[in-house]
Amino acid sequence: MRGAYSSGSRAAVFCILILAAFLAPGWLRAQSFRGSIRGSVADPSGGLIVGAKVSARNTATGLTRETATGADGGYVLSELPAG
């Protein structure tokens, strides 16, 4: 006597579970209460500035994060709390 599921439907369920396992980390990461700011600093002529100080300040909490631009003039302020 065969079970309630055929081997074809078991394979489909297995594939769905594997797919969900690969996608779940992305879904979980998307539920973050933190953000980031990326950008670059350039002078008026468009030349990128290396070593420029960049800061972000939350006026409600006073939290300030600072960084400096890299060799490509770019910066990233990451793990900023929401708000």
Side-chain angles (χ1 to χ4, degrees):
M1 180 179 230
R2 294 184 63 168
Y5 297 104
S6 69
S7 62
S9 63
R10 282 188 210 147
V13 169
F14 180 75
C15 288
I16 290 169
L17 290 174
I18 294 297
L19 182 62
F22 281 109
L23 294 177
W27 292 332
L28 295 175
R29 256 193 327 267
Q31 302 301 317
S32 175
F33 295 102
R34 299 197 175 268
S36 62
I37 301 172
R38 297 175 181 268
S40 60
V41 178
D43 62 24
S45 68
L48 296 173
I49 300 175
V50 177
K53 179 181 170 183
V54 178
S55 63
R57 183 169 165 275
N58 182 327
T59 57
T61 65
L63 175 71
T64 300
R65 295 281 174 90
E66 297 179 348
T67 191
T69 58
D72 61 353
Y75 65 90
V76 178
L77 293 163
S78 58
E79 292 297 313
L80 299 171

